[in-house]
Structure formats: C-alpha cells, structure tokens
Amino acid sequence: MGKVSPMDVAFEEARAAAARGEVPVGAAVVGRDGTVIARAGNRTEQDVDASAHAEVLALREAGRVLGTPRLTECDLFVTLEPCAMCAAAIGLFRIRRLVFGAYDSKGGGVEHGPRIFAQPSCQHRPDVIGGVRETEAAALLRAFFRARR
Ligand SMILES: [Zn+2]
C-alpha cells in the first residue's frame, strides 16, 4: 500500500467529525518518514470538553505513541488554521512544520488575531504553510454551518 497523504487523513477526520455533529476540523501528525502517527477530529461535544480540538487531541496522541512530549521531527496537518490555544500547543510540542487548509479570519491564531508564533513569548516557531486545499476545507465548514442553521 502506498503512503496516504496526511492532508487526506485530516480531511477524513474532518468529515467524520461532521458526521458526529462536531465542527468539521481534522488533524494528523506525521513522523519524519511521512507515516501518520496520530489522527483526530474535533470532539468537543462528544467529550464535553471545549478544548478537545482536533489538533490538541492529535498532538497528545502522537506524544503518547512516541513516548515523548517533544515532537521535533513531526509535522502537523490540519484542515483549518489553528486557534490560539492550538497554536500554543503546537509550539509546546515543538512541531517542526504546520500545514493547514482554510484560513480562519475570526478564530485563527496563526495568521490572524493573536498570531501566536510571532509573539516574543513563543519559544518554538514551526514552519507554517497555510492555504493547502483551502477551497475544499472552507467548503466543508460552510456546508456544515449552513446545514445547522
Ligand atoms: Zn484549536
């Protein structure tokens, strides 16, 4: 079997989250060789936990799997620009590269709002690549919120 694209995995998780009635955001943590180590979708409703965002769940799982809180050789793929909390967690876990889909002008904390990685207090700045499959990621979110109205 060929390697799956980590962004495909993140999208699968986002769609699965939508099917559970969660905001459709999905994330995948990938190791140095491109293997997906952990994957998660939002679980704030299911876990009754407002902080159960896809990124935080995937980072925690990857740390458990690798047995270290420092994911210095790992990349995080996520379908939406991380919020301030998740961006801070990405820094704490020392993720090498962050790749995200849609930009989030309201809730984003990387390219918008608090711009966590640009703060002097930020101890670790990952490489950031935003706007990957942006149209698809934004469409998923729009469809979800349209259906809920
Ligand atoms: Zn978040």
Side-chain angles (χ1 to χ4, degrees), residues 4-105:
V4 290
S5 144
M7 207 49 158
D8 279 342
V9 172
F11 270 100
E12 275 177 28
E13 289 292 336
R15 289 191 194 95
R20 297 192 301 267
E22 304 275 359
V23 174
V25 179
V29 176
V30 176
R32 183 184 207 156
D33 64 353
T35 307
V36 174
I37 295 164
R39 53 191 292 171
N42 270 347
R43 288 208 306 263
T44 57
E45 302 296 330
Q46 186 182 316
D47 290 2
V48 200
D49 177 357
S51 70
H53 289 185
E55 301 94 309
V56 165
L57 297 172
L59 289 167
R60 286 178 177 159
E61 176 65 17
R64 277 193 294 270
V65 168
L66 296 178
T68 172
R70 286 166 294 277
L71 307 175
T72 49
E73 310 237 296
C74 297
D75 300 338
L76 177 74
F77 290 75
V78 56
T79 54
L80 180 67
E81 177 183 346
C83 72
M85 175 192 73
C86 290
I90 288 162
L92 290 171
F93 276 95
R94 306 199 175 281
I95 283 288
R96 184 180 65 163
R97 179 179 295 138
L98 163 66
V99 180
F100 70 82
Y103 289 90
D104 185 356
S105 60

